[in-house]
Amino acid sequence: MKKITLIFLMFSGILQAQQKPNIVFILTDDQSYNLLGCTGNPIVQTPHIDKLANNGMLFTNAHVTSAICTPSRISILLSQYERKHGVNFNSGTSVSDTAWKNSYPVIMRNNGYYTGWVGKNHAPIGYGGYNSGVMEKSFDYWYAGHGHLGFYPKDNHTIFNDAIAFTQPEIINEGVDDFLDPNARKLKGALHFLDNRPSNKPFMLSINFNLPHGASTKTMKMKTDDDTIYKTLYRNLDIPLPDNYIAKADIKTPKLPKELLHAEDRQEGYNYVDTPEGIKERYIRELESMTGIDRLVGNLVKKLKDLKLDKNTIIIFTSDHGLFGGQQGLGGKALCYEQTTHVPIIINTPQMAKKVKGSTTNVLAQTIDIAPTLLSLAGIEIPNTYQGKDLSNIINGDKDIIRDYAYTENLWSTHFGNPRCESVQNQKWKYIRYYKNDNFSAKKEIKYAKEMGIPVNEMLYKTHDPEIAKYRSYIDAPTAGELAVYEELYNLKSDPNELHNVVSEKKNADILETLRNQWKIEITKARGTGKAEVYRYTNDLYPDGKH
């Protein structure tokens, strides 16, 4: 009798594991909201991603919490605002093992999921950050590079050398196939603990692009062997300039005061926005990249169907933040405007109710909501360290609101000129506040580095211990009484492009006061309690560390 009971329990456990949904999470890089057909772009060809939205749910009012790669991606992994998790390029820190234990990949693996990570990693985890090996060991399957991949990843990361392809979307596609399909070509560079994905366990696959990020699009060379997508697509079209584009030479009044946004110190990689010719060429490359990503999504959906996995696999798609293309004369990111914070979130579940399938929702969602939603859909308890909201009731059609206000912030205020800022927005209004920007000039650092024979990149990108204290003060100062030096107020219904700052209009005084009060509530919640769970990660401790 005991033997029969044991066999029954074992069978029940296997059956329960098989009934849990498989999950694929796709994350793009620097993809603004309007770079998909389903979000209204009239040029880009993204039929497969559009189909995901048409058969799922598109969140049309979703926002990141920090509009720059590393803090945004860690916010997604840990479901925490940057003010809580405490890691950025300028923080001098990495995510601690304690914090990492509550990341969605680790929790799902500990709850019986077979996990994989393919593409880019831009989150320093453990002692030594990218060199710790913690990320690689946290997954059952790893086929990724730390930092930027470039459009030709083999030029930067040896792990991809065995791939047949040499362009980024196609190399990532090979990794996806290797993870999913036991009959696919085995990649020698991939790290995995089992030869094949076990058929009796649900899987969680994170697919991470370094596109359409400028670090990759700028390296596109239209090589002879490149796919035609990357050589000729969109090049026969009359590409329009972005709405509200202003060339550098035509800027009469900067969007933000010069003493606040030091535009002359902006990273050179964004200078393509300065001329119509530069932005048009880069925009074509972004469109080509999105079509390459879309082809991978189509291949993924077909692979899932061929393997008879499609009926039990959830697909979630989003971006880590947007990017300016010269709108209002701005380039880069790391600000709180819609162009950089507004991203698409698409959730496609096979069991989605008919009443919501193919629908859109304008609920105020944020990318920190993805991790709790993943766990909820997998039937896993959500840890109390998470600050995001579970979206499962939205996609089930049971709720139509999850928060009244969305909070975003920028703590990446460095020699590259961006100011610290925070924003609070509801369905109609957005309030942004800025702090004094007294950072030393990157332009001057470059000048003196050249005079002294110091490698420019060492001057610009090395991180040292005093920056830890400076960054921590960025976090603590606003709630300790630091005053804003500049404020903005936008009516998002009548002015979605944030062209007209109405903060000084007397008729908006009550709205402004309400949002100022709400800012204090939201920033306090974002900060949370206790110390940040981080390790020291500077070049003083790790001379060869990358940030």
Side-chain angles (χ1 to χ4, degrees):
M1 186 66 181
K2 288 183 179 179
K3 186 175 181 180
I4 294 173
T5 302
L6 180 62
I7 292 172
F8 174 77
L9 290 173
M10 290 174 61
F11 179 77
S12 298
I14 293 171
L15 186 62
Q16 187 177 21
Q18 289 174 329
Q19 289 174 340
K20 282 182 173 288
N22 306 308
I23 299 175
V24 178
F25 174 44
I26 304 170
L27 183 66
T28 58
D29 199 347
D30 278 19
Q31 181 204 326
S32 298
Y33 178 82
N34 60 354
L35 265 179
L36 297 171
C38 61
T39 58
N41 190 300
I43 301 173
V44 72
Q45 298 175 27
T46 53
H48 302 294
I49 299 173
D50 298 345
K51 190 173 182 180
L52 281 183
N54 293 337
N55 292 325
M57 179 178 280
L58 170 64
F59 289 74
T60 60
N61 199 10
H63 296 265
V64 300
T65 52
S66 298
I68 188 168
C69 299
T70 288
S72 178
R73 287 168 181 252
I74 294 172
S75 290
I76 292 170
L77 287 162
L78 301 183
S79 186
Q80 292 181 345
Y81 294 95
E82 181 189 345
R83 197 166 294 271
K84 175 65 174 174
H85 69 62
V87 180
N88 201 324
F89 296 105
N90 59 319
S91 67
T93 56
S94 61
V95 177
S96 74
D97 295 285
T98 300
W100 183 240
K101 287 178 182 177
N102 279 331
S103 66
Y104 79 79
V106 173
I107 289 176
M108 296 190 78
R109 191 183 189 194
N110 289 341
N111 280 271
Y113 271 76
Y114 182 77
T115 60
W117 186 280
V118 177
K120 170 187 174 179
N121 172 50
H122 222 158
I125 311 295
Y127 287 111
Y130 297 114
N131 293 324
S132 71
V134 172
M135 276 293 278
E136 291 89 333
K137 295 174 184 176
S138 296
F139 296 88
D140 297 296
Y141 181 94
W142 172 269
Y143 191 60
H146 298 297
H148 293 303
L149 302 185
F151 191 67
Y152 306 100
K154 293 180 184 180
D155 293 346
N156 302 303
H157 300 279
T158 58
I159 192 171
F160 302 119
N161 283 352
D162 184 50
I164 294 173
F166 50 90
T167 47
Q168 186 187 137
E170 289 64 41
I171 286 179
I172 291 176
N173 205 148
E174 288 187 46
V176 171
D177 288 348
D178 188 19
F179 174 86
L180 289 173
D181 189 350
N183 296 315
R185 178 176 176 269
K186 297 303 173 189
L187 295 164
K188 295 177 182 177
L191 305 177
H192 44 89
F193 300 100
L194 297 172
D195 288 337
N196 292 308
R197 176 181 59 80
S199 59
N200 64 342
K201 295 180 71 173
F203 64 80
M204 166 70 224
L205 174 61
S206 297
I207 304 172
N208 303 270
F209 290 95
N210 189 202
L211 283 167
H213 193 292
S216 292
T217 55
K218 75 176 181 181
T219 63
M220 297 172 75
K221 298 177 181 178
M222 292 191 287
K223 294 181 178 180
T224 303
D225 294 332
D226 282 3
D227 191 278
T228 53
I229 288 175
Y230 311 123
K231 291 190 294 186
T232 61
L233 191 61
Y234 306 114
R235 293 190 175 276
N236 63 330
L237 303 178
D238 182 15
I239 299 295
L241 289 169
D243 291 342
N244 308 303
Y245 174 81
I246 305 176
K248 181 179 179 180
D250 297 329
I251 297 174
K252 294 181 174 59
T253 302
K255 174 64 175 174
L256 287 168
K258 290 182 178 180
E259 65 272 16
L260 196 62
L261 176 61
H262 305 164
E264 71 278 5
D265 290 317
R266 186 183 66 204
Q267 288 169 298
E268 291 183 358
Y270 298 118
N271 287 352
Y272 60 85
V273 305
D274 291 345
T275 64
E277 297 77 18
I279 187 56
K280 284 186 177 183
E281 172 59 32
R282 189 58 62 96
Y283 185 46
I284 288 172
R285 297 182 185 198
E286 291 174 357
L287 295 171
E288 291 172 340
S289 298
M290 290 308 304
T291 298
I293 291 170
D294 182 78
R295 180 167 62 182
L296 179 147
V297 171
N299 292 341
L300 166 68
V301 171
K302 182 178 185 303
K303 178 66 71 173
L304 291 171
K305 188 173 183 179
D306 290 345
L307 296 174
K308 295 180 171 53
L309 297 169
D310 57 313
K311 302 299 184 184
N312 194 37
T313 300
I314 296 166
I315 301 176
I316 298 178
F317 178 98
T318 193
S319 171
D320 62 354
H321 51 75
L323 184 69
F324 273 106
Q327 296 91 340
Q328 303 186 71
L330 296 170
K333 47 209 174 189
L335 291 167
C336 290
Y337 294 124
E338 295 288 290
Q339 184 65 30
T340 58
T341 68
H342 187 199
V343 295
I345 294 179
I346 298 170
I347 300 180
N348 183 294
T349 69
Q351 287 77 37
M352 184 169 282
K354 288 185 178 180
K355 63 180 178 179
V356 295
K357 189 175 184 180
S359 66
T360 62
T361 175
N362 71 340
V363 299
L364 275 172
Q366 295 201 258
T367 48
I368 55 168
D369 300 336
I370 288 171
T373 303
L374 292 175
L375 297 188
S376 176
L377 293 171
I380 300 171
E381 183 178 355
I382 298 170
N384 59 14
T385 58
Y386 280 18
Q387 295 178 301
K389 308 289 186 180
D390 175 12
L391 300 176
S392 61
N393 284 330
I394 301 293
I395 61 177
N396 291 333
D398 298 330
K399 289 179 67 176
D400 58 6
I401 188 170
I402 51 171
R403 60 170 57 83
D404 294 318
Y405 295 92
Y407 171 81
T408 61
E409 59 190 355
N410 177 54
L411 292 165
W412 185 73
S413 182
T414 69
H415 47 207
F416 290 119
N418 287 52
R420 286 177 292 139
C421 53
E422 300 125 12
S423 73
V424 174
Q425 68 189 90
N426 58 23
Q427 291 285 359
K428 184 176 181 179
W429 293 96
K430 178 189 276 190
Y431 166 67
I432 311 176
R433 58 191 284 131
Y434 298 84
Y435 302 94
K436 184 178 180 181
N437 185 355
D438 56 4
N439 287 297
F440 194 74
S441 166
K443 196 171 183 179
K444 290 181 180 178
E445 288 184 342
I446 293 170
K447 173 187 174 183
Y448 297 130
K450 291 179 177 178
E451 284 183 7
M452 297 295 295
I454 301 171
V456 170
N457 280 351
E458 287 193 17
M459 178 71 82
L460 295 178
Y461 294 105
K462 293 286 186 180
T463 302
H464 300 283
D465 289 342
E467 293 174 62
I468 297 176
K470 185 177 183 179
Y471 176 83
R472 296 308 307 176
S473 75
Y474 285 175
I475 289 175
D476 295 337
T479 53
E482 183 181 15
L483 299 177
V485 298
Y486 189 76
E487 295 175 300
E488 292 175 306
L489 181 67
Y490 294 100
N491 185 328
L492 297 174
K493 293 296 185 183
S494 61
D495 181 23
N497 294 317
E498 297 164 311
L499 301 176
H500 308 291
N501 180 12
V502 295
V503 74
S504 61
E505 295 184 8
K506 290 183 179 180
K507 66 180 180 180
N508 299 322
D510 289 343
I511 294 166
L512 178 60
E513 188 61 24
T514 296
L515 291 175
R516 281 173 175 164
N517 292 332
Q518 193 64 40
W519 160 81
K520 186 62 178 291
I521 294 170
E522 297 300 326
I523 194 173
T524 302
K525 287 194 299 185
R527 175 61 187 88
T529 58
K531 296 180 180 179
E533 297 284 355
V534 295
Y535 294 142
R536 176 187 171 204
Y537 181 47
T538 64
N539 291 108
D540 299 317
L541 183 61
Y542 302 100
D544 297 324
K546 304 292 183 182
H547 297 86

